Amino acid sequence: MSTTPVRAGGSSAGDPAPGPGPVDALARVVTSPRALRRWAVASLAANVVIVVTGALVRLTASGMGCPTWPRCTEDSYVTHPSLGIHGAIEFGNRLLTFALVLVAVLTWVSAMLHRDGGRRRRDLRWIAAGLALGIPAQAVIGGVSVWTHLNPFVVALHLLVSMVLIGLSTWLVRRTRGLRQQPAGRAGVLAARATLVLTALTVWLGTVVTGSGPHAGDLDAVRTGYDGAFVTHAHAIAVYATVAAVAVAVWTLRSRAALLVLGVVVLQAVIGIVQYNLGLPVGLVLLHLLGASLAVAATTNLFLTVRTPDPAPPTR
């Protein structure tokens, strides 16, 4: 008779050990040493992608491709051939929201399970929670924009929330990589802060320009009623002020983060000028929205690289 020992579970000692099951594989996705770092990058990428796809919906006049929300039509949650290409584009963007929710949830789970030297990181948990809560809020705002037949102010809020989520994702990426703010001179810190504030102002004015011009998302969508030339010039002034603030940051900080912002902002300004003079072609407008997302990420990163020096200890 064979004397080969039998292990618990019925396998003999000579049999190969069973491979990891699906539960173990899923656990590694959110608990491996680099899991949260990867999910932070995925969150940043996903939030940028949803801005671009949302812009594609607007630029193709597909904003009312699904005429209601949360259903696509009164009778169906999915698009129908009768809605044509506009229905397919709008419904496709809605499907991407589910992918964004999945990324946000897995990022949050990974943050909850993450340990840094055995220590829990409450800062990572709070940032990830903000991302996880922001995505459903974003979906609701998108639904309200459909209910209001693409009211330009609601559509603007929809984009601005995405920009906030991009900023939070950038913060999470830095935190998961252990990147901390470094002491810098007062001028450099003020320049970094001014750059972030002016970038936010520029993006907001950009939504006002969009709400006052073409590419409304639907041929029957209302506009803000503001003078297009006036708001465009106001937007341009904010861009020039941002470039000036970045130039000061480059001069005072001499950092790669500042140089990155300068490159992104200058390229974004060039694209904006060209698209305006060419009559807002769809391809350039889409590239401009991508540039706005990258500018928010880059300026947030710059803001988070510096801080004011600690006060000197009193002398006796």
Side-chain angles (χ1 to χ4, degrees):
M1 294 180 61
S2 173
T3 58
T4 303
V6 178
R7 293 178 178 173
S11 62
S12 66
D15 294 336
V23 175
D24 295 328
L26 179 60
R28 283 202 303 272
V29 167
V30 293
T31 60
S32 68
R34 297 185 179 180
L36 183 56
R37 183 181 298 185
R38 291 168 179 166
W39 283 117
V41 173
S43 291
L44 176 58
N47 279 289
V48 171
V49 168
I50 204 70
V51 168
V52 175
T53 58
L56 184 63
V57 171
R58 179 172 58 83
L59 293 169
T60 57
S62 302
M64 296 301 296
C66 285
T68 187
W69 186 88
R71 296 174 183 264
C72 184
T73 67
E74 293 294 341
D75 303 319
S76 175
Y77 282 97
V78 300
T79 188
H80 189 273
S82 62
L83 298 176
I85 186 64
H86 296 306
I89 292 174
E90 164 64 2
F91 182 68
N93 189 58
R94 293 189 182 190
L95 287 179
L96 284 176
T97 301
F98 289 101
L100 194 58
V101 168
L102 179 61
V103 171
V105 169
L106 290 174
T107 301
W108 177 76
V109 171
S110 184
M112 293 296 292
L113 298 175
H114 181 78
R115 296 292 185 273
D116 188 356
R119 180 175 59 92
R120 297 177 179 180
R121 291 283 301 274
R122 294 185 62 184
D123 56 335
L124 301 180
R125 292 182 174 192
W126 279 111
I127 300 171
L131 289 170
L133 293 174
I135 305 304
Q138 180 73 312
V140 171
I141 296 171
V144 174
S145 71
V146 173
W147 291 341
T148 59
H149 203 102
L150 305 182
N151 179 287
F153 300 103
V154 179
V155 174
L157 179 61
H158 195 43
L159 175 64
L160 293 174
V161 171
S162 284
M163 294 301 177
V164 171
L165 295 176
I166 288 173
L168 282 176
S169 299
T170 304
W171 189 13
L172 186 61
V173 169
R174 287 188 55 86
R175 285 284 183 168
T176 58
R177 293 173 181 271
L179 301 175
R180 302 290 182 175
Q181 292 173 299
Q182 300 299 319
R186 182 176 179 80
V189 173
L190 289 176
R193 292 175 179 175
T195 298
L196 181 63
V197 171
L198 289 170
T199 298
L201 176 63
T202 301
V203 171
W204 172 68
L205 287 172
T207 66
V208 178
V209 172
T210 298
S212 307
H215 302 310
D218 186 76
L219 297 179
D220 297 324
V222 299
R223 304 281 73 202
T224 63
Y226 300 150
D227 180 78
F230 174 79
V231 293
T232 299
H233 288 306
H235 176 63
I237 291 172
V239 171
Y240 299 146
T242 303
V243 173
V246 179
V248 174
V250 171
W251 178 259
T252 54
L253 297 174
R254 303 181 187 276
S255 66
R256 286 182 295 179
L259 286 173
L260 176 62
V261 176
L262 181 63
V264 171
V265 170
V266 169
L267 181 59
Q268 179 73 337
V270 170
I271 294 173
I273 293 171
V274 173
Q275 71 166 5
Y276 178 78
N277 286 282
L278 292 181
L280 303 177
V282 169
L284 283 179
V285 175
L286 196 64
L287 193 60
H288 198 51
L289 264 295
L290 173 61
S293 303
L294 298 179
V296 168
T299 53
T300 301
N301 178 64
L302 175 63
F303 172 78
L304 295 172
T305 60
V306 294
R307 61 177 175 83
T308 54
D310 297 326
T315 57
R316 295 183 179 180

